[in-house]
Amino acid sequence: MIQPPRAVALTALADLWDQGCPIPSPSDRERLVDVGLRRWHSFHRRHPRNRHPSHEDRIRDLVRGLVQAFEADRRLVGRLAKDYECVAEALATAATSSTREA
């Protein structure tokens, strides 16, 4: 049985938190999933000229959106950028999990 992307994302973020990633704290997880999945699914609407984006293009866009939503000053993200990339990868995997297995 295929789990909904939201459930997959929440589980993945909990695993990242357990592994020491500081971004997906329990208090932020729901919002991270909401923002992340919405951003992932709106990529083509926001970038209509990029008809064949690479996975890396979409991850960079997702990281940018997460940073904009969760950080007061994007210039101060620094090393957390790598943690946001891990979160973005987990959200991307969750967003595409139901389409791969169907």
Side-chain angles (χ1 to χ4, degrees), residues 29-67:
R29 254 179 237 150
E30 294 280 335
R31 186 165 171 242
L32 275 166
V33 171
D34 290 342
V35 170
L37 292 179
R38 185 174 56 244
R39 180 90 179 191
W40 183 264
H41 292 298
S42 68
F43 181 88
H44 292 291
R45 181 181 49 79
R46 290 179 294 99
H47 301 281
R49 292 184 181 181
N50 192 351
R51 292 181 189 255
H52 303 290
S54 68
H55 180 73
E56 291 76 23
D57 291 338
R58 294 194 69 180
I59 293 297
R60 273 192 301 274
D61 179 70
L62 183 50
V63 168
R64 192 172 326 132
L66 292 172
V67 169

Side-chain angles (χ1 to χ4, degrees), residues 2-102:
I2 299 171
Q3 288 187 332
R6 182 171 184 75
V8 174
L10 286 169
T11 300
L13 294 185
D15 290 345
L16 283 175
W17 177 257
D18 291 343
Q19 294 169 18
C21 181
I23 304 300
S25 69
S27 63
D28 287 336
R29 254 179 237 150
E30 294 280 335
R31 186 165 171 242
L32 275 166
V33 171
D34 290 342
V35 170
L37 292 179
R38 185 174 56 244
R39 180 90 179 191
W40 183 264
H41 292 298
S42 68
F43 181 88
H44 292 291
R45 181 181 49 79
R46 290 179 294 99
H47 301 281
R49 292 184 181 181
N50 192 351
R51 292 181 189 255
H52 303 290
S54 68
H55 180 73
E56 291 76 23
D57 291 338
R58 294 194 69 180
I59 293 297
R60 273 192 301 274
D61 179 70
L62 183 50
V63 168
R64 192 172 326 132
L66 292 172
V67 169
Q68 287 173 349
F70 288 89
E71 299 295 331
D73 188 349
R74 294 181 304 215
R75 296 172 295 172
L76 301 178
V77 171
R79 286 195 230 165
L80 285 178
K82 288 292 181 195
D83 294 310
Y84 275 107
E85 288 175 17
C86 291
V87 169
E89 285 286 353
L91 292 172
T93 299
T96 59
S97 65
S98 62
T99 58
R100 279 197 318 244
E101 296 178 23

